[in-house]
Amino acid sequence: MKILIIGSGAREHAIAWKVKQDPRVTQIFVAPGNAGTSSIAQNLPIPVTDLEGLLAWAKKERPNFTIVGPEVPLCLGVVDLFEKENLPIFGPNKQGAQLEGSKIFTKNILVKYQIPTALSGSFTELDKAESFSQQLGFPQVIKADGLAAGKGVLIVQSFSEAQAGLRQILVERQFGEAGNSVLIEEFLDGQEASIHAITDGNSYRILPSAQDHKRVGDGDTGLNTGGMGAYSPAPCVTPEILEIVRRTVFDPLLLAFKKEGIDYRGVLYAGLMLTSKGPKVLEFNARLGDPETQVLLPLLETSLIDVIEAVWKRSLDQIEFKVSPQHAMTVVMAAPGYPENPITGGEITGLEIAGKPNTALFHAGTKLINNKISTAGGRVLTITAWAESLQQARDLAYERLSLVTFEGAHYRRDIGYRALNS
Ligand code: AMP
Ligand code: GLY
């Protein structure tokens, strides 16, 4: 089998690593990939936004499956293009991808189908937004409607902060078209959890729960990032909570898709707040999380190809979906200056740990420069370990990480603290 993976992060390296374990897979291509993917696959110099380039390659090479990693090509409609040419592809079409591409689209579905979520209002006009904001109370959350690379969410403490935020989004257009409209919502308190389901449009399977760590500093301090580490399963998602999430989130969402005529195949990644009044949806993503993928795929025992094939054939309920009872943790090593101004170009050493037992090392921002693997992005690597307990997985991940070096590397030392300290 020939597989094409679209993307260039640690998530896509993890997908390539997982796919490679299936003996049916003979060739893997990653567009555009990174230095890590080039060691197990062939990188293609096609950017994720070059849909015509990706399609032209696929029409010629006829991959058995294409797996889309990031949200941008999904929202641009890469799946629709591939499906038109009868090229099997994993991910929702453009209509379905609005679940991530428009927070207001999602909120409307959640409200219409009574799926628990924060109370909110959506606006295009500044004065109406301001008067809603003033009535709602503080803190509150202001979100640009469209894709803003994780930066379009502001938690504001006062009306003057809200006014400044609304102005930035709606008037100054800090996020461009993504800020044509805003969502203002009540602040929810609790622990956050990521729950990923995979659906073929008729049924769904749930991957183990996970928890991401979005702030750059220990103890959840400092700026927001793309994610500094994750672990799975997350004990805050008890079996009872998972059952509630199935019943109140995923079951009605699948029904909503049917009623709305949305043909959704791919990943449903629910970002949830576990509040004292039950789990509520913060957001949906239309693809696997990064860094969650780096802990979820090592725990998935079923071949990812079997899962993807079943999604394509709409027979997901007919395959065995096996998940390991182990625990996994992944820790992101970031370039100096990340997330504001990452400094790149430093040589990385210690990459041999990738071959050690119960360990995987996934590259994100890395590049081969003069035959040396160097840093080339904000999040540089993620190091995953798995073991019988979360504590053991944690100890192993940090032990492995201590052998990897590059100048100015920084990482959080407390991934999993909520679960380990409770
Ligand atoms: P989102 O992209 O909508 O998930 O928002 C990014 C982050 O903002 C989330 O991971 C939460 O930490 C935070 N957030 C979003 N919405 C809310 C909310 N209603 N209440 C509290 N925190 C929120
Ligand atoms: N882990 C956050 C995300 O993938 O959006």
Side-chain angles (χ1 to χ4, degrees):
M1 270 190 174
K2 204 186 243 190
I3 306 295
L4 169 63
I5 299 165
I6 300 175
S8 64
R11 168 182 52 209
E12 287 74 26
H13 189 184
I15 294 171
W17 170 88
K18 178 70 184 161
V19 154
K20 198 177 161 66
Q21 291 165 15
D22 189 308
R24 290 177 297 166
V25 172
T26 48
Q27 278 180 295
I28 307 172
F29 297 86
V30 189
N34 56 42
T37 59
S38 72
S39 68
I40 56 168
Q42 188 180 327
N43 286 350
L44 303 171
I46 312 174
V48 302
T49 49
D50 180 6
L51 302 196
E52 291 305 326
L54 292 164
L55 184 67
W57 184 89
K59 275 168 79 173
K60 189 157 154 270
E61 298 289 335
R62 307 298 308 181
N64 297 78
F65 284 103
T66 296
I67 306 171
V68 190
E71 62 278 16
V72 170
L74 292 171
C75 291
L76 290 173
V78 70
V79 170
D80 310 61
L81 279 183
F82 274 53
E83 281 182 347
K84 235 184 250 161
E85 299 293 337
N86 211 12
L87 287 158
I89 184 160
F90 179 73
N93 57 25
K94 193 171 178 172
Q95 190 190 22
Q98 286 181 87
L99 198 64
E100 176 157 6
S102 166
K103 290 182 189 293
I104 295 172
F105 169 89
T106 300
K107 189 64 97 173
N108 289 341
I109 289 192
L110 297 177
V111 171
K112 183 167 172 189
Y113 293 90
Q114 295 173 7
I115 297 171
T117 186
L119 182 94
S120 70
S122 61
F123 306 92
T124 52
E125 290 163 43
L126 185 65
D127 54 342
K128 291 193 177 131
E130 283 185 348
S131 69
F132 181 84
S133 163
Q134 207 160 17
Q135 284 162 26
L136 184 63
F138 295 91
Q140 65 183 217
V141 188
I142 297 176
K143 302 180 175 185
D145 177 46
L147 290 183
K151 298 189 179 75
V153 175
L154 308 171
I155 295 174
V156 294
Q157 306 294 336
S158 64
F159 183 55
S160 60
E161 272 184 47
Q163 279 180 305
L166 289 169
R167 197 161 268 290
Q168 274 168 16
I169 297 173
L170 285 175
V171 183
E172 292 154 24
R173 297 286 162 147
Q174 190 180 353
F175 305 108
E177 276 189 18
N180 285 353
S181 17
V182 289
L183 194 68
I184 303 176
E185 67 179 36
E186 70 175 312
F187 179 82
L188 298 176
D189 221 351
Q191 275 210 58
E192 275 186 71
S194 309
I195 303 195
H196 290 71
I198 297 178
T199 181
D200 62 0
N202 297 319
S203 68
Y204 64 92
R205 298 297 183 97
I206 289 193
L207 285 161
S209 59
Q211 199 166 49
D212 185 8
H213 298 61
K214 289 194 174 141
R215 301 293 199 91
V216 71
D218 284 359
D220 291 321
T221 53
L223 294 173
N224 252 330
T225 69
M228 294 298 287
Y231 65 94
S232 173
C236 59
V237 183
T238 59
E240 293 72 36
I241 289 184
L242 191 61
E243 193 42 44
I244 295 173
V245 172
R246 281 181 180 278
R247 199 165 34 77
T248 65
V249 178
F250 289 110
D251 291 348
L253 185 63
L254 250 62
L255 205 67
F257 286 154
K258 286 238 188 282
K259 292 215 164 130
E260 300 291 323
I262 299 169
D263 180 19
Y264 196 106
R265 281 188 288 181
V267 175
L268 290 167
Y269 158 175
L272 300 172
M273 189 68 91
L274 308 181
T275 74
S276 57
K277 292 190 186 131
K280 296 194 180 187
V281 175
L282 292 178
E283 63 166 345
F284 263 104
N285 294 319
R287 36 89 199 163
L288 288 164
D290 185 347
E292 289 93 329
T293 303
Q294 295 91 294
V295 285
L296 295 179
L297 294 186
L299 295 179
L300 177 65
E301 290 182 348
T302 304
S303 164
L304 188 60
I305 297 295
D306 287 349
V307 175
I308 284 169
E309 195 164 27
V311 168
W312 182 249
K313 293 182 175 159
R314 301 183 196 274
S315 58
L316 190 60
D317 58 345
Q318 281 158 43
I319 64 162
E320 195 188 18
F321 191 79
K322 268 188 84 179
V323 167
S324 159
Q326 289 194 307
H327 297 254
M329 184 175 292
T330 199
V331 184
V332 173
M333 289 184 88
Y338 178 75
E340 283 172 306
N341 291 303
I343 301 165
T344 61
E347 186 187 343
I348 309 167
T349 61
L351 293 168
E352 316 73 64
I353 62 142
K356 297 212 186 252
N358 289 36
T359 308
L361 187 152
F362 301 120
H363 292 223
T366 67
K367 201 171 169 181
L368 212 54
I369 303 175
N370 298 329
N371 269 334
K372 289 181 179 149
I373 296 184
S374 305
T375 62
R379 290 193 290 179
V380 176
L381 304 162
T382 66
I383 292 154
T384 303
W386 51 94
E388 296 305 314
S389 71
L390 184 61
Q391 184 66 50
Q392 286 170 311
R394 181 212 174 269
D395 293 345
L396 188 61
Y398 280 99
E399 184 188 320
R400 302 290 196 230
L401 181 148
S402 69
L403 301 172
V404 182
T405 56
F406 58 88
E407 204 179 319
H410 67 95
Y411 56 88
R412 276 184 62 164
R413 286 154 215 271
D414 66 344
I415 303 302
Y417 76 94
R418 284 204 187 82
L420 291 166
N421 296 344
S422 62

